[in-house]
Coordinates of all heavy atoms in Angstrom, one line a residue:
M147 N -3.1 27.2 -28.4 CA -2.2 27.8 -27.4 C -1.3 26.7 -26.8 O -1.7 25.7 -26.4 CB -3.1 28.4 -26.3 CG -2.4 29.2 -25.4 SD -3.1 30.8 -25.1 CE -2.2 31.2 -23.6
T148 N 0.0 27.0 -26.8 CA 1.0 26.0 -26.3 C 1.5 26.5 -24.9 O 1.5 27.7 -24.6 CB 2.2 25.9 -27.2 OG1 2.7 27.2 -27.4 CG2 1.8 25.3 -28.6
A149 N 1.9 25.5 -24.1 CA 2.4 25.8 -22.8 C 3.7 26.5 -22.9 O 4.5 26.3 -23.9 CB 2.6 24.5 -22.0
P150 N 4.0 27.5 -22.0 CA 5.3 28.1 -22.1 C 6.5 27.1 -21.9 O 6.3 26.2 -21.2 CB 5.3 29.1 -20.9 CG 4.0 28.9 -20.2 CD 3.2 27.8 -20.9
Q151 N 7.5 27.3 -22.7 CA 8.6 26.4 -22.7 C 9.5 26.8 -21.5 O 9.6 28.0 -21.2 CB 9.4 26.5 -24.0 CG 8.7 26.0 -25.2 CD 8.4 24.5 -25.0 OE1 9.4 23.7 -24.9 NE2 7.2 24.1 -25.1
G152 N 10.2 25.8 -21.0 CA 11.2 26.1 -19.9 C 12.3 25.1 -20.0 O 12.2 24.2 -20.8
T153 N 13.2 25.2 -19.1 CA 14.4 24.4 -19.1 C 14.8 24.1 -17.7 O 14.7 24.9 -16.8 CB 15.6 25.1 -19.8 OG1 15.2 25.6 -21.1 CG2 16.8 24.1 -20.0
W154 N 15.2 22.8 -17.4 CA 15.8 22.5 -16.1 C 17.3 23.0 -16.1 O 18.0 22.8 -17.0 CB 15.8 21.0 -15.9 CG 14.4 20.5 -15.6 CD1 13.6 19.9 -16.5 CD2 13.7 20.6 -14.4 NE1 12.4 19.6 -15.9 CE2 12.4 20.0 -14.6 CE3 14.0 21.1 -13.1 CZ2 11.5 19.9 -13.5 CZ3 13.1 21.0 -12.1 CH2 11.8 20.5 -12.3
H155 N 17.6 23.7 -15.0 CA 19.0 24.2 -14.8 C 19.6 23.6 -13.5 O 18.9 23.4 -12.5 CB 19.0 25.7 -14.6 CG 18.5 26.4 -15.8 ND1 19.4 26.9 -16.8 CD2 17.3 26.8 -16.3 CE1 18.7 27.5 -17.7 NE2 17.4 27.4 -17.4
E156 N 20.9 23.3 -13.6 CA 21.6 23.0 -12.4 C 21.5 24.1 -11.4 O 21.8 25.3 -11.8 CB 23.1 22.7 -12.7 CG 23.3 21.4 -13.4 CD 23.0 20.2 -12.4 OE1 23.4 20.3 -11.2 OE2 22.5 19.2 -12.9
A157 N 21.2 23.9 -10.1 CA 21.2 24.9 -9.1 C 22.4 24.8 -8.2 O 23.2 25.7 -8.1 CB 19.9 24.9 -8.4
C158 N 22.4 23.7 -7.4 CA 23.4 23.6 -6.4 C 23.4 22.2 -5.8 O 22.6 21.4 -6.1 CB 23.2 24.6 -5.2 SG 21.5 24.4 -4.5
A159 N 24.4 21.9 -5.0 CA 24.4 20.7 -4.2 C 23.3 20.7 -3.2 O 23.1 21.8 -2.6 CB 25.8 20.4 -3.6
L160 N 22.7 19.6 -2.9 CA 21.7 19.6 -1.9 C 22.2 20.0 -0.6 O 21.5 20.8 0.1 CB 21.1 18.1 -1.7 CG 20.4 17.5 -2.9 CD1 19.9 16.1 -2.6 CD2 19.3 18.4 -3.4
D161 N 23.4 19.6 -0.2 CA 23.9 20.0 1.1 C 24.4 21.4 1.2 O 24.8 21.9 2.3 CB 24.9 19.0 1.7 CG 26.1 18.9 0.8 OD1 26.3 19.8 -0.1 OD2 27.0 18.0 1.0
A162 N 24.3 22.2 0.1 CA 24.6 23.6 0.2 C 23.4 24.4 0.7 O 23.5 25.6 1.0 CB 24.9 24.1 -1.2
V163 N 22.2 23.7 0.8 CA 21.0 24.4 1.2 C 20.7 23.9 2.6 O 20.3 22.7 2.8 CB 19.8 24.1 0.3 CG1 18.7 25.1 0.7 CG2 20.2 24.3 -1.1
K164 N 21.0 24.7 3.6 CA 20.8 24.3 5.0 C 19.3 24.6 5.5 O 18.8 25.7 5.1 CB 21.8 25.0 5.9 CG 23.2 24.9 5.5 CD 23.7 23.5 5.6 CE 25.2 23.5 5.3 NZ 25.7 22.3 4.7
E165 N 18.8 23.8 6.3 CA 17.5 24.1 6.9 C 17.5 25.4 7.6 O 18.4 25.7 8.3 CB 17.2 23.0 7.9 CG 15.8 23.2 8.6 CD 14.8 22.2 8.1 OE1 15.2 21.0 7.8 OE2 13.6 22.5 8.1
G166 N 16.5 26.3 7.2 CA 16.4 27.6 7.9 C 17.4 28.6 7.3 O 17.4 29.7 7.9
E167 N 18.2 28.3 6.3 CA 19.1 29.2 5.8 C 18.9 29.4 4.3 O 19.5 28.6 3.5 CB 20.6 28.8 6.0 CG 20.9 28.8 7.5 CD 22.4 28.4 7.7 OE1 23.2 28.6 6.8 OE2 22.7 27.8 8.8
P168 N 18.1 30.3 3.8 CA 17.8 30.4 2.4 C 19.1 30.7 1.6 O 20.0 31.4 2.2 CB 16.9 31.6 2.3 CG 16.3 31.7 3.6 CD 17.3 31.2 4.6
L169 N 19.2 30.2 0.4 CA 20.4 30.3 -0.4 C 20.1 31.2 -1.6 O 19.2 30.8 -2.3 CB 20.9 29.0 -0.8 CG 22.2 29.0 -1.7 CD1 23.4 29.5 -1.0 CD2 22.4 27.6 -2.3
G170 N 20.8 32.3 -1.8 CA 20.6 33.1 -2.9 C 21.5 32.7 -4.1 O 22.7 32.5 -3.9
L171 N 20.9 32.5 -5.3 CA 21.7 32.1 -6.5 C 21.2 32.9 -7.7 O 20.0 33.3 -7.7 CB 21.4 30.7 -6.8 CG 21.9 29.6 -5.8 CD1 21.4 28.2 -6.3 CD2 23.4 29.6 -5.7
E172 N 22.1 33.2 -8.6 CA 21.7 33.7 -9.9 C 21.9 32.6 -10.9 O 23.0 32.0 -11.0 CB 22.6 34.9 -10.3 CG 22.2 35.4 -11.6 CD 22.9 36.7 -12.0 OE1 23.4 37.4 -11.1 OE2 23.0 37.0 -13.2
I173 N 20.8 32.2 -11.6 CA 20.9 31.1 -12.5 C 20.2 31.6 -13.8 O 19.1 32.1 -13.8 CB 20.1 29.9 -12.0 CG1 20.7 29.4 -10.7 CG2 20.1 28.8 -13.1 CD1 19.9 28.3 -10.0
A174 N 21.0 31.5 -14.9 CA 20.5 32.0 -16.2 C 19.9 33.4 -16.2 O 18.9 33.7 -16.8 CB 19.5 31.0 -16.8
G175 N 20.6 34.2 -15.4 CA 20.1 35.6 -15.3 C 19.0 35.9 -14.3 O 18.6 37.0 -14.2
A176 N 18.5 34.8 -13.7 CA 17.3 35.0 -12.8 C 17.9 34.9 -11.3 O 18.7 34.1 -11.0 CB 16.3 33.8 -13.0
Q177 N 17.4 35.8 -10.5 CA 17.7 35.9 -9.1 C 16.8 34.9 -8.3 O 15.6 35.2 -8.3 CB 17.6 37.3 -8.5 CG 18.6 38.3 -9.2 CD 20.0 38.0 -8.7 OE1 20.3 37.4 -7.7 NE2 20.9 38.5 -9.6
L178 N 17.3 33.9 -7.7 CA 16.5 32.9 -7.1 C 16.9 32.8 -5.6 O 18.1 33.0 -5.2 CB 16.7 31.5 -7.7 CG 16.4 31.4 -9.2 CD1 16.7 30.0 -9.7 CD2 15.0 31.8 -9.5
A179 N 15.9 32.4 -4.8 CA 16.2 32.0 -3.4 C 15.7 30.5 -3.3 O 14.7 30.1 -3.8 CB 15.4 32.8 -2.4
I180 N 16.6 29.7 -2.8 CA 16.4 28.2 -2.6 C 16.2 28.0 -1.1 O 17.0 28.5 -0.3 CB 17.6 27.4 -3.2 CG1 18.0 27.9 -4.6 CG2 17.3 25.9 -3.1 CD1 17.0 27.6 -5.6
Y181 N 15.3 27.1 -0.8 CA 15.0 26.8 0.6 C 14.9 25.3 0.8 O 14.4 24.6 0.0 CB 13.6 27.4 1.0 CG 13.3 28.8 0.5 CD1 12.8 29.0 -0.7 CD2 13.6 29.9 1.4 CE1 12.5 30.3 -1.2 CE2 13.3 31.2 0.9 CZ 12.8 31.4 -0.3 OH 12.5 32.7 -0.8
R182 N 15.2 24.9 2.0 CA 15.0 23.5 2.5 C 14.1 23.5 3.7 O 14.4 24.3 4.7 CB 16.3 22.9 2.8 CG 16.2 21.4 3.3 CD 17.4 21.0 4.1 NE 18.5 20.7 3.3 CZ 19.0 19.5 2.9 NH1 18.3 18.4 3.3 NH2 20.0 19.3 2.2
V183 N 13.1 22.7 3.6 CA 12.2 22.5 4.8 C 12.1 21.0 5.0 O 11.5 20.3 4.2 CB 10.8 23.1 4.6 CG1 9.9 22.9 5.9 CG2 10.9 24.6 4.3
G184 N 12.8 20.5 6.0 CA 12.9 19.0 6.1 C 13.6 18.4 4.9 O 14.7 18.8 4.5
A185 N 12.9 17.5 4.3 CA 13.5 16.8 3.1 C 13.1 17.5 1.8 O 13.5 17.1 0.7 CB 13.1 15.4 3.0
D186 N 12.3 18.6 1.9 CA 11.8 19.2 0.7 C 12.5 20.5 0.4 O 13.0 21.2 1.3 CB 10.3 19.5 0.9 CG 9.4 18.3 1.1 OD1 9.7 17.3 0.4 OD2 8.5 18.3 1.9
F187 N 12.6 20.8 -0.9 CA 13.2 22.0 -1.4 C 12.3 22.8 -2.2 O 11.3 22.3 -2.9 CB 14.4 21.6 -2.3 CG 15.5 20.9 -1.6 CD1 15.5 19.5 -1.4 CD2 16.6 21.6 -1.1 CE1 16.5 18.9 -0.7 CE2 17.6 21.0 -0.4 CZ 17.6 19.6 -0.2
F188 N 12.5 24.2 -2.2 CA 11.6 25.1 -2.9 C 12.5 26.2 -3.5 O 13.6 26.5 -3.0 CB 10.6 25.7 -1.9 CG 9.7 24.7 -1.2 CD1 10.2 24.2 0.0 CD2 8.5 24.3 -1.7 CE1 9.4 23.2 0.7 CE2 7.8 23.4 -1.1 CZ 8.2 22.8 0.1
A189 N 12.0 26.8 -4.6 CA 12.7 27.9 -5.2 C 11.7 29.0 -5.5 O 10.6 28.8 -6.0 CB 13.3 27.5 -6.5
T190 N 12.1 30.2 -5.1 CA 11.2 31.4 -5.5 C 12.2 32.5 -6.1 O 13.4 32.3 -6.0 CB 10.6 32.1 -4.2 OG1 11.6 32.7 -3.4 CG2 9.8 31.0 -3.4
G191 N 11.6 33.5 -6.6 CA 12.3 34.7 -7.0 C 13.0 35.2 -5.7 O 12.4 35.1 -4.6
N192 N 14.1 35.8 -5.8 CA 14.8 36.3 -4.6 C 14.6 37.8 -4.3 O 15.0 38.3 -3.3 CB 16.3 36.1 -4.8 CG 17.1 36.1 -3.5 OD1 16.4 36.1 -2.4 ND2 18.4 36.2 -3.5
I193 N 13.9 38.5 -5.2 CA 13.7 39.9 -5.0 C 12.3 40.2 -4.5 O 11.3 39.8 -5.1 CB 13.8 40.6 -6.4 CG1 15.1 40.2 -7.1 CG2 13.7 42.1 -6.2 CD1 16.3 40.6 -6.4
C194 N 12.3 40.8 -3.3 CA 11.0 41.1 -2.7 C 10.2 42.0 -3.6 O 10.7 42.9 -4.2 CB 11.2 41.8 -1.4 SG 9.6 42.2 -0.5
S195 N 8.9 41.7 -3.7 CA 8.0 42.5 -4.6 C 7.7 43.9 -4.1 O 7.0 44.7 -4.7 CB 6.7 41.7 -4.9 OG 6.0 41.5 -3.7
H196 N 8.1 44.2 -2.8 CA 7.8 45.5 -2.2 C 8.8 46.5 -2.6 O 8.5 47.5 -3.2 CB 7.7 45.3 -0.7 CG 7.4 46.6 0.0 ND1 8.2 47.1 1.0 CD2 6.3 47.5 -0.2 CE1 7.6 48.2 1.4 NE2 6.5 48.5 0.8
A197 N 10.1 46.3 -2.2 CA 11.1 47.3 -2.4 C 12.5 46.7 -2.7 O 13.5 47.2 -2.5 CB 11.2 48.3 -1.3
E198 N 12.4 45.4 -3.3 CA 13.6 44.8 -3.9 C 14.7 44.4 -3.0 O 15.8 44.3 -3.4 CB 14.2 45.7 -5.0 CG 13.1 46.0 -6.1 CD 13.7 46.6 -7.3 OE1 14.9 46.9 -7.4 OE2 12.9 46.9 -8.3
A199 N 14.3 44.1 -1.7 CA 15.3 43.5 -0.9 C 15.5 42.0 -1.3 O 14.7 41.4 -2.0 CB 14.8 43.5 0.6
M200 N 16.6 41.4 -0.9 CA 16.9 40.0 -1.2 C 16.3 39.1 -0.1 O 16.7 39.1 1.0 CB 18.4 39.8 -1.2 CG 19.1 40.6 -2.3 SD 18.7 40.2 -3.9 CE 20.1 39.2 -4.4
L201 N 15.4 38.3 -0.6 CA 14.7 37.4 0.4 C 15.6 36.4 1.0 O 15.4 35.9 2.1 CB 13.5 36.7 -0.3 CG 12.4 37.7 -0.7 CD1 11.3 37.0 -1.5 CD2 11.8 38.4 0.5
S202 N 16.7 36.0 0.3 CA 17.6 35.1 0.8 C 18.4 35.6 2.1 O 19.0 34.9 2.8 CB 18.7 34.6 -0.2 OG 19.4 35.8 -0.7
D203 N 18.2 36.9 2.3 CA 18.8 37.5 3.5 C 17.7 37.5 4.7 O 18.0 38.0 5.8 CB 19.2 39.0 3.3 CG 20.4 39.0 2.4 OD1 21.2 38.1 2.3 OD2 20.6 40.1 1.7
G204 N 16.6 37.0 4.4 CA 15.5 37.1 5.3 C 15.4 35.8 6.2 O 16.3 35.0 6.2
L205 N 14.4 35.8 7.1 CA 14.2 34.7 8.0 C 13.2 33.7 7.5 O 12.1 34.1 7.1 CB 13.7 35.3 9.3 CG 14.7 36.0 10.2 CD1 14.0 36.6 11.4 CD2 15.8 35.0 10.6
L206 N 13.6 32.4 7.5 CA 12.6 31.4 7.1 C 12.0 30.8 8.3 O 12.6 30.4 9.2 CB 13.3 30.3 6.3 CG 12.4 29.2 5.7 CD1 11.5 29.8 4.7 CD2 13.3 28.1 5.1
D207 N 10.6 30.9 8.3 CA 9.8 30.4 9.4 C 8.8 29.4 8.9 O 7.8 29.8 8.3 CB 9.1 31.6 10.1 CG 8.3 31.1 11.3 OD1 8.4 30.0 11.7 OD2 7.4 32.0 11.7
G208 N 9.1 28.1 9.0 CA 8.2 27.1 8.4 C 8.3 27.3 6.9 O 9.4 27.2 6.3
Y209 N 7.1 27.5 6.3 CA 7.1 27.7 4.8 C 7.0 29.2 4.5 O 6.6 29.5 3.4 CB 5.9 27.0 4.2 CG 6.0 25.5 4.3 CD1 5.3 24.7 5.3 CD2 6.8 24.8 3.4 CE1 5.4 23.4 5.4 CE2 7.0 23.4 3.5 CZ 6.3 22.7 4.5 OH 6.4 21.3 4.5
E210 N 7.3 30.1 5.4 CA 7.2 31.5 5.2 C 8.5 32.1 5.2 O 9.3 31.9 6.2 CB 6.3 32.2 6.2 CG 4.8 31.7 6.1 CD 3.9 32.3 7.1 OE1 4.3 33.3 7.8 OE2 2.8 31.9 7.3
I211 N 8.8 33.0 4.2 CA 10.0 33.8 4.2 C 9.7 35.2 4.6 O 8.7 35.8 4.0 CB 10.8 33.7 2.9 CG1 12.1 34.5 2.9 CG2 9.9 34.1 1.7 CD1 13.1 33.9 3.8
E212 N 10.4 35.7 5.6 CA 10.1 37.1 6.0 C 11.2 38.0 5.4 O 12.4 37.8 5.6 CB 10.2 37.2 7.5 CG 9.9 38.6 8.0 CD 9.8 38.6 9.5 OE1 8.8 38.2 10.1 OE2 10.8 39.0 10.2
C213 N 10.8 39.0 4.7 CA 11.7 39.9 4.1 C 12.5 40.7 5.1 O 12.0 41.1 6.1 CB 10.9 40.9 3.2 SG 12.0 42.2 2.5
P214 N 13.9 40.8 4.9 CA 14.7 41.5 5.9 C 14.5 43.0 6.0 O 14.9 43.6 7.0 CB 16.1 41.2 5.4 CG 16.0 41.0 3.9 CD 14.6 40.4 3.7
L215 N 13.8 43.6 5.0 CA 13.8 45.0 5.0 C 12.5 45.6 5.8 O 12.7 46.4 6.7 CB 13.8 45.6 3.6 CG 14.1 47.0 3.4 CD1 15.4 47.4 4.1 CD2 14.2 47.3 1.9
H216 N 11.3 45.1 5.4 CA 10.1 45.6 6.1 C 9.3 44.5 6.7 O 8.1 44.7 7.0 CB 9.3 46.5 5.2 CG 10.0 47.5 4.4 ND1 10.3 47.5 3.1 CD2 10.6 48.7 4.9 CE1 11.0 48.6 2.8 NE2 11.2 49.3 3.8
N217 N 9.8 43.3 6.7 CA 9.2 42.2 7.4 C 7.9 41.6 6.7 O 7.2 40.9 7.4 CB 8.9 42.5 8.9 CG 10.2 43.0 9.5 OD1 10.3 44.2 9.8 ND2 11.2 42.2 9.7
G218 N 7.7 41.9 5.5 CA 6.6 41.3 4.8 C 6.9 39.8 4.6 O 8.1 39.4 4.6
R219 N 5.8 39.0 4.5 CA 6.0 37.5 4.4 C 5.4 37.0 3.1 O 4.4 37.4 2.7 CB 5.4 36.9 5.6 CG 6.2 37.0 6.9 CD 5.6 36.3 8.0 NE 6.5 36.2 9.1 CZ 6.8 35.1 9.8 NH1 6.3 34.0 9.5 NH2 7.7 35.1 10.8
F220 N 6.1 35.9 2.6 CA 5.6 35.2 1.5 C 5.6 33.7 1.8 O 6.4 33.2 2.5 CB 6.5 35.4 0.3 CG 6.6 36.8 -0.2 CD1 7.7 37.6 0.3 CD2 5.8 37.3 -1.2 CE1 7.8 38.9 -0.1 CE2 6.0 38.6 -1.6 CZ 7.0 39.4 -1.1
D221 N 4.6 33.0 1.2 CA 4.6 31.5 1.3 C 5.5 31.0 0.2 O 5.3 31.3 -1.0 CB 3.2 31.0 1.1 CG 3.1 29.5 1.3 OD1 4.0 28.8 0.9 OD2 2.1 29.1 2.0
I222 N 6.6 30.3 0.6 CA 7.6 29.8 -0.4 C 7.0 28.7 -1.3 O 7.6 28.4 -2.3 CB 8.9 29.3 0.3 CG1 8.6 28.1 1.2 CG2 9.5 30.5 1.0 CD1 9.9 27.4 1.7
R223 N 5.9 28.1 -0.9 CA 5.3 27.1 -1.8 C 4.5 27.7 -2.9 O 4.5 27.1 -4.0 CB 4.4 26.2 -1.0 CG 5.1 25.4 0.1 CD 4.2 24.8 1.1 NE 3.5 25.9 1.9 CZ 2.7 25.7 2.9 NH1 2.5 24.4 3.3 NH2 2.1 26.6 3.6
S224 N 3.9 28.8 -2.7 CA 3.0 29.4 -3.7 C 3.5 30.8 -4.2 O 3.0 31.3 -5.2 CB 1.6 29.6 -3.1 OG 1.6 30.5 -2.0
G225 N 4.4 31.4 -3.4 CA 4.8 32.7 -3.7 C 3.8 33.8 -3.2 O 4.0 35.0 -3.4
E226 N 2.7 33.4 -2.6 CA 1.7 34.3 -2.2 C 2.2 35.3 -1.2 O 2.9 35.0 -0.2 CB 0.5 33.5 -1.5 CG -0.6 34.4 -1.1 CD -1.8 33.6 -0.5 OE1 -1.7 32.4 -0.4 OE2 -2.8 34.3 -0.1
A227 N 1.9 36.6 -1.4 CA 2.2 37.6 -0.4 C 1.2 37.5 0.7 O 0.0 37.5 0.5 CB 2.0 39.0 -1.1
L228 N 1.7 37.4 2.0 CA 0.9 37.0 3.1 C 0.6 38.2 4.0 O -0.5 38.3 4.6 CB 1.5 35.9 3.9 CG 1.7 34.6 3.2 CD1 2.5 33.6 4.1 CD2 0.4 34.0 2.8
T229 N 1.6 39.0 4.3 CA 1.4 40.1 5.3 C 1.9 41.4 4.8 O 2.9 41.5 4.0 CB 2.2 39.7 6.6 OG1 3.6 39.7 6.3 CG2 1.7 38.4 7.2
S230 N 1.3 42.5 5.3 CA 1.7 43.8 4.9 C 3.2 44.0 5.3 O 3.7 43.5 6.3 CB 0.8 44.8 5.8 OG 1.2 46.1 5.5
P231 N 3.9 44.8 4.5 CA 3.5 45.7 3.4 C 3.5 45.0 2.0 O 3.2 45.6 1.0 CB 4.5 46.8 3.4 CG 5.7 46.1 3.8 CD 5.4 45.1 4.8
V232 N 3.8 43.7 1.9 CA 3.8 43.1 0.6 C 2.4 42.7 0.1 O 1.6 42.3 0.9 CB 4.7 41.8 0.6 CG1 6.2 42.2 0.9 CG2 4.2 40.7 1.5
E233 N 2.2 43.0 -1.2 CA 0.9 42.8 -1.8 C 1.0 42.0 -3.1 O 0.0 41.4 -3.5 CB 0.2 44.1 -2.1 CG -0.1 45.0 -0.8 CD -0.7 46.3 -1.2 OE1 -0.6 46.7 -2.3 OE2 -1.3 46.9 -0.2
I234 N 2.1 42.0 -3.7 CA 2.3 41.3 -5.0 C 3.1 40.0 -4.7 O 4.1 40.0 -4.1 CB 3.1 42.2 -5.9 CG1 2.3 43.5 -6.1 CG2 3.3 41.5 -7.3 CD1 3.1 44.6 -6.9
D235 N 2.5 38.9 -5.3 CA 3.1 37.6 -5.1 C 4.5 37.6 -5.8 O 4.8 38.4 -6.7 CB 2.3 36.5 -5.7 CG 0.9 36.4 -5.0 OD1 0.7 37.0 -4.0 OD2 0.0 35.7 -5.6
I236 N 5.3 36.7 -5.4 CA 6.6 36.5 -6.0 C 6.6 35.2 -6.8 O 5.7 34.3 -6.5 CB 7.8 36.4 -5.0 CG1 7.5 35.4 -3.9 CG2 8.1 37.8 -4.4 CD1 8.7 35.1 -3.0
P237 N 7.4 35.0 -7.9 CA 7.3 33.8 -8.6 C 7.9 32.6 -7.9 O 8.8 32.8 -7.0 CB 8.2 34.1 -9.9 CG 9.1 35.2 -9.4 CD 8.3 36.0 -8.4
T238 N 7.4 31.4 -8.2 CA 8.0 30.2 -7.7 C 8.4 29.3 -8.8 O 7.8 29.5 -10.0 CB 7.0 29.4 -6.8 OG1 5.8 29.1 -7.6 CG2 6.6 30.2 -5.6
Y239 N 9.3 28.4 -8.6 CA 9.8 27.6 -9.7 C 9.9 26.1 -9.2 O 10.3 25.9 -8.1 CB 11.2 28.1 -10.1 CG 11.3 29.5 -10.5 CD1 11.6 30.5 -9.5 CD2 10.9 29.9 -11.7 CE1 11.6 31.8 -9.8 CE2 10.9 31.3 -12.1 CZ 11.3 32.2 -11.1 OH 11.3 33.5 -11.4
P240 N 9.5 25.2 -10.1 CA 9.6 23.8 -9.8 C 11.1 23.4 -9.5 O 12.0 23.9 -10.2 CB 9.1 23.1 -11.0 CG 8.3 24.1 -11.7 CD 8.9 25.4 -11.5
V241 N 11.3 22.5 -8.6 CA 12.6 22.0 -8.4 C 12.6 20.4 -8.5 O 11.5 19.8 -8.3 CB 13.2 22.4 -7.0 CG1 13.4 23.9 -6.9 CG2 12.3 21.9 -5.9
R242 N 13.7 19.8 -8.7 CA 13.8 18.4 -8.7 C 15.2 18.0 -8.2 O 16.2 18.8 -8.4 CB 13.5 17.7 -10.0 CG 14.5 18.0 -11.1 CD 14.1 17.3 -12.4 NE 15.2 17.5 -13.4 CZ 15.0 17.2 -14.7 NH1 13.9 16.7 -15.2 NH2 16.0 17.4 -15.6
I243 N 15.3 16.8 -7.7 CA 16.6 16.3 -7.2 C 17.1 15.3 -8.2 O 16.4 14.4 -8.6 CB 16.4 15.6 -5.8 CG1 16.0 16.7 -4.8 CG2 17.6 14.9 -5.4 CD1 15.5 16.1 -3.4
E244 N 18.4 15.5 -8.6 CA 19.1 14.6 -9.4 C 20.4 14.2 -8.7 O 21.3 14.9 -8.6 CB 19.5 15.3 -10.8 CG 18.3 15.5 -11.7 CD 17.8 14.2 -12.3 OE1 18.6 13.4 -12.7 OE2 16.6 14.1 -12.4
G245 N 20.3 13.0 -8.1 CA 21.5 12.5 -7.3 C 21.6 13.4 -6.1 O 20.7 13.5 -5.3
D246 N 22.8 14.0 -6.0 CA 23.0 14.9 -4.8 C 22.9 16.4 -5.2 O 23.4 17.2 -4.5 CB 24.3 14.6 -4.1 CG 25.5 14.8 -5.0 OD1 25.3 15.1 -6.2 OD2 26.6 14.7 -4.5
R247 N 22.3 16.6 -6.3 CA 22.2 18.0 -6.8 C 20.7 18.4 -7.0 O 19.8 17.6 -7.2 CB 22.8 18.1 -8.2 CG 24.2 17.5 -8.4 CD 25.3 18.4 -8.0 NE 25.2 19.7 -8.6 CZ 26.0 20.7 -8.2 NH1 26.8 20.5 -7.2 NH2 25.9 21.9 -8.8
L248 N 20.5 19.7 -6.9 CA 19.2 20.3 -7.1 C 19.1 21.0 -8.4 O 20.1 21.7 -8.8 CB 18.9 21.3 -5.9 CG 17.4 21.7 -5.8 CD1 16.6 20.6 -5.3 CD2 17.3 23.0 -5.0
Q249 N 18.0 20.8 -9.1 CA 17.8 21.5 -10.4 C 16.5 22.3 -10.2 O 15.6 22.0 -9.5 CB 17.6 20.5 -11.5 CG 18.9 19.7 -11.8 CD 18.7 18.7 -13.0 OE1 17.6 18.4 -13.4 NE2 19.9 18.3 -13.5
V250 N 16.5 23.4 -11.0 CA 15.3 24.3 -11.0 C 14.8 24.5 -12.4 O 15.6 24.6 -13.3 CB 15.7 25.6 -10.3 CG1 16.8 26.3 -10.9 CG2 14.4 26.5 -10.1
Y251 N 13.5 24.6 -12.6 CA 12.9 24.7 -13.9 C 12.5 26.2 -14.1 O 11.8 26.8 -13.3 CB 11.6 23.9 -14.0 CG 11.1 23.8 -15.3 CD1 11.6 22.8 -16.2 CD2 10.0 24.5 -15.7 CE1 11.0 22.7 -17.5 CE2 9.4 24.4 -17.0 CZ 9.9 23.5 -17.9 OH 9.4 23.4 -19.1
L252 N 13.2 26.8 -15.1 CA 12.9 28.2 -15.4 C 12.3 28.4 -16.7 O 12.6 27.6 -17.7 CB 14.3 29.0 -15.4 CG 15.1 29.0 -14.1 CD1 16.4 29.7 -14.2 CD2 14.2 29.6 -12.9
P253 N 11.4 29.4 -16.9 CA 10.9 29.6 -18.2 C 11.9 30.1 -19.2 O 13.0 30.6 -18.8 CB 9.9 30.8 -17.9 CG 10.0 31.2 -16.5 CD 11.0 30.3 -15.8
G254 N 11.7 29.8 -20.4 CA 12.6 30.2 -21.5 C 13.6 29.1 -21.8 O 13.5 28.0 -21.3
E255 N 14.4 29.3 -22.8 CA 15.4 28.3 -23.3 C 16.4 28.0 -22.3 O 16.9 28.8 -21.5 CB 16.0 28.8 -24.6 CG 15.0 29.0 -25.7 CD 14.3 27.7 -26.0 OE1 14.9 26.6 -26.2 OE2 13.0 27.7 -26.1
Ligands
FES324 FE1 10.4 43.4 1.3 FE2 9.7 45.9 1.9 S1 11.3 45.3 0.7 S2 8.8 44.1 2.7

């Protein structure tokens, strides 16, 4: 069994991601939300697993993103669904810093 293949993609400039202001991006056909907490960056899927609202329109509280539609919360580090009505986790993606740019690792070519 081989590990799933993935690719690093350019995401955005680091300073495009403001603390407390999630950034929604489409990269290689994937809808992503990018977050900054202090000096750290995180990437998750941007579509809420409950009813498809955009999490980048939600409120970031520490490491938790609150969906703007029904206020379900996810942990942006693990994608774990934390509070009702969300029950299904969202995907998370590795990120890395290259100079003043952020890159994200997505499955596939
Ligand atoms: Fe996100 Fe309902 S759409 S909690």
